[in-house]
Amino acid sequence: IRHLRERTIQIACNRREGFTMNHLKQIAARLPEYGLDAMLLNSEPGEYYAVGFHGEGNVVVTAQGCFYFTDSRYTEAAGRCVQGAEIREVGPGRGYTVLLTEVLGEQQVCRLGFEEAYMTVLEHERYRKALPCDLVPAAELLRQLRTVKDGEELDAMVAAQRIAEKALDVILEEIRPGVTEKEIAARLQYLMLHFGAENMSFDPIVVSGPNGSLPHGVPGERTIQRGEFVTM
């Protein structure tokens, strides 16, 4: 199991190594435009976009360097996956705000951008009180960068589509009366992972007969009946 887990991590890292380093540079290059000295990313999509890894951590991007903070559960995997950022581990007495304060002082950060679309009021209040700088809403900086896909991202999108098509070709041969919606959904997820997917963007929608009118229907125990539609 450990070998398979390490292999999965390595494959995922290899796919993302090149463009995540470019993303860090792109974020840093946009800081002056927003009047920022640094950008704090602590949402899953922001963290993943910046360093190609999600370990429930924080990313700080400055013009001089990039930093990734996470706890002991993720430091080993982060060390293999994160490129272009210095990894620092939180621990007892050295939580996120302590490490952030150290880096912000080292980098002489006065204005720190944050993702206001993701940060909770509680988190914002905690950071506002603890950090020695001004917090500036700057989710738009990352949104604009993520909107324009680079070559590697486009390749990944095409690869994901090909995986979905392969899975669909197989599942179409397996749908028959008596099979439940849940069974089809489970098989569909297995096939996509089998063909190289890292995960699902969302839970598969597999509904049949009268359930087909539900745009976001949840697969259930209903069995497929002869002659009816199946929506996936």
Side-chain angles (χ1 to χ4, degrees):
I1 292 173
R2 179 181 175 85
H3 172 73
L4 291 174
R5 178 175 174 272
E6 291 176 349
R7 177 62 179 156
T8 301
I9 290 172
Q10 189 60 52
I11 291 171
C13 292
N14 288 342
R15 289 175 181 164
R16 295 190 289 265
E17 181 176 325
F19 64 80
T20 51
M21 292 185 69
N22 290 334
H23 291 170
L24 288 170
K25 293 177 181 177
Q26 291 169 356
I27 295 169
R30 298 292 291 274
L31 294 175
E33 179 182 337
Y34 287 81
L36 302 174
D37 301 309
M39 183 72 189
L40 169 65
L41 307 170
N42 61 358
S43 71
E44 180 175 350
E47 181 186 345
Y48 194 86
Y49 180 83
V51 297
F53 179 76
H54 174 56
E56 300 181 19
N58 286 347
V59 180
V60 172
V61 182
T62 75
Q64 292 75 37
C66 304
F67 305 84
Y68 180 65
F69 310 107
T70 192
D71 62 53
S72 58
R73 297 172 298 166
Y74 300 103
T75 47
E76 181 182 356
R80 300 178 185 183
C81 294
V82 174
Q83 302 288 325
E86 179 185 333
I87 299 171
R88 298 191 183 185
E89 183 179 309
V90 300
R94 289 180 57 77
Y96 286 108
T97 55
V98 173
L99 296 188
L100 280 168
T101 298
E102 291 177 356
V103 164
L104 297 176
E106 294 168 6
Q107 301 292 310
Q108 299 181 329
V109 172
C110 296
R111 289 172 57 81
L112 177 66
F114 72 95
E115 300 175 279
E116 74 274 14
Y118 294 95
M119 185 178 289
T120 66
V121 174
L122 181 62
E123 289 173 328
H124 181 272
E125 193 64 10
R126 183 171 71 247
Y127 286 128
R128 185 186 66 80
K129 291 179 179 179
L131 301 183
C133 62
D134 293 331
L135 289 174
V136 181
E140 184 65 12
L141 184 156
L142 208 65
R143 190 197 69 79
Q144 289 189 2
L145 288 175
R146 291 178 60 198
T147 297
V148 181
K149 307 304 181 187
D150 56 32
E152 290 84 356
E153 289 173 304
L154 292 173
D155 289 342
M157 292 169 71
V158 172
Q161 178 63 28
R162 296 296 172 261
I163 288 169
E165 290 167 354
K166 284 183 180 180
L168 180 63
D169 286 342
V170 175
I171 203 71
L172 288 178
E173 299 298 322
E174 299 182 3
I175 296 175
R176 58 181 57 87
V179 178
T180 68
E181 297 170 344
K182 272 189 176 181
E183 288 173 326
I184 297 172
R187 178 65 172 159
L188 194 57
Q189 290 186 81
Y190 165 79
L191 288 169
M192 286 188 280
L193 292 170
H194 173 71
F195 288 129
E198 293 175 26
N199 209 334
M200 308 296 112
S201 297
F202 50 86
D203 293 335
I205 297 168
V206 179
V207 287
S208 60
N211 293 339
S213 65
L214 304 172
H216 292 278
V218 177
E221 299 294 346
R222 185 181 189 280
T223 57
I224 308 301
Q225 306 298 313
R226 185 174 302 279
E228 68 183 11
F229 286 102
V230 177
T231 302
M232 291 185 287

